[in-house]
Amino acid sequence: MKVVSQIREPIEHEMELFEEKFLKSMSSKVALFNRITYYIVNRKGKQMRPMFVFLTAKLINGGAVNDRTYCGASIIELIHTASLVHDDVVDDSHKRRGFFSINALWKNKIAVLVGDFLFSKGVLVALENKDYDLLHIISNAVKDMSEGELLQIEKARLLDITEDVYYDIIRQKTATLIAACCSMGACSVKPDSEDVETFRKFGELCGMAFQIKDDLFDYGAEKIGKPTGIDIKEQKMTLPLIYALNESDKEKKQWLINSIKKHNKNKTRVKEVIAYVKEKGGLDYAVTKMISFKDEALALLENYPDSEYKSALTLMVNYVVERKK
């Protein structure tokens, strides 16, 4: 059985019901919106984020979920989908999970409007159910995600990212949404419990490990073909590169910065940068930090009794760092 199927097994019924509710939550009176959202739904990913919501809720609530849990999962998936649509516009990306992106098929203007529509639907799902606490969680996440993207753009121009600033960026950009998934799952069943903060932290740690893993793929750290160097081409300062910079003498540091600023489209130079980062131990350092975040997340689960939901969450955390793509 594939790992994702194993993770999903204890919440299979909830996920099937969620998919029905989610499809309804995306409906519009405008035929064009429905055509586009139908396209999105039929090309959905693994739906890891709703799975975090359901597994967290079931872990702390004796295997039971409620209407608020479904509401929380729908809000998360709507906001996540909206952010992906907008990201493709910002990055001028024409492919998403091997399919054409919305902006590639319907152009930027329509893609931005579809993203806005999905964001508003996420807010409305919470308001219609009077789930103001869930709305508060997701609103903070959207604010953090926007700030994280802008912080990354700002720092990319100056190339002055320290390791701490890098963690701030990925915490806001990526980890905050996974943190929202887990805190929302806890909040849906035990609104005023300490579990809400515990699982916010758990999700954040998972998200940090997830993003570092993504950064490692740029160096061909897994058997997924040759290194891509896309982050270097886009002048993104990721952890392996930051470490290599910190470990370099003045002359090599200048060569690295110059390579990223002025020669980031030169394939040969990008390959040289990748080789240098590997040689300086940048990948090994990033892997060590990723494992550290993973272990911190797993430590938070130790306080909860064993169950199939705890096992699935443990599997999920390990999958985050062991996945091949």
Side-chain angles (χ1 to χ4, degrees), residues 136-309:
H136 189 259
I137 290 170
I138 199 61
S139 298
N140 275 326
V142 171
K143 174 186 76 72
D144 285 347
M145 287 157 68
S146 306
E147 285 181 346
E149 285 287 355
L150 284 168
L151 180 60
Q152 184 170 54
I153 291 167
E154 178 190 32
K155 293 296 182 182
R157 287 175 180 165
L158 303 168
L159 296 185
D160 66 345
I161 295 185
T162 61
E163 193 171 325
D164 285 343
V165 170
Y166 165 79
Y167 292 138
D168 285 342
I169 289 170
I170 68 168
R171 187 175 289 110
Q172 290 182 296
K173 247 187 73 175
T174 304
T176 192
L177 191 60
I178 299 176
C181 296
C182 299
S183 58
M184 209 175 264
C187 189
S188 71
V189 290
K190 293 194 175 175
D192 300 312
S193 66
E194 288 178 12
D195 297 312
V196 178
E197 174 53 26
T198 299
F199 277 93
R200 186 205 65 76
K201 187 66 184 169
F202 169 80
E204 185 180 274
L205 291 163
C206 290
M208 300 292 278
F210 181 93
Q211 187 57 56
I212 294 173
K213 180 68 171 183
D214 261 13
D215 293 346
L216 285 164
F217 285 139
D218 204 49
Y219 291 86
E222 295 292 345
K223 293 168 186 170
I224 54 165
K226 293 174 184 172
T228 61
I230 289 169
D231 288 340
I232 295 165
K233 287 168 196 162
E234 293 177 357
Q235 298 185 331
K236 285 180 183 169
M237 299 286 284
T238 58
L239 190 55
L241 185 58
I242 292 165
Y243 179 82
L245 266 170
N246 290 340
E247 293 299 305
S248 299
D249 59 31
K250 197 176 177 183
E251 191 181 326
K252 263 302 186 190
K253 195 175 280 191
Q254 196 53 52
W255 173 80
L256 267 176
I257 290 170
N258 198 33
S259 300
I260 296 153
K261 271 191 172 176
K262 297 177 182 173
H263 304 283
N264 56 319
K265 300 286 191 284
N266 181 322
K267 286 182 182 177
T268 306
R269 192 71 167 256
V270 169
K271 278 181 186 172
E272 286 172 3
V273 170
I274 287 170
Y276 179 73
V277 170
K278 286 180 176 176
E279 183 193 318
K280 291 302 283 185
L283 300 197
D284 294 336
Y285 181 78
V287 167
T288 302
K289 287 293 180 183
M290 176 182 73
I291 299 297
S292 173
F293 283 121
K294 180 206 77 166
D295 289 344
E296 269 191 80
L298 290 175
L300 290 174
L301 291 180
E302 286 174 10
N303 301 321
Y304 293 87
D306 289 344
S307 67
E308 56 184 327
Y309 316 113

Side-chain angles (χ1 to χ4, degrees), residues 118-135:
L118 295 171
F119 267 119
S120 66
K121 278 284 189 176
V123 171
L124 282 169
V125 166
L127 289 174
E128 283 163 4
N129 293 285
K130 295 185 170 58
D131 289 319
Y132 304 121
D133 49 355
L134 304 186
L135 181 59

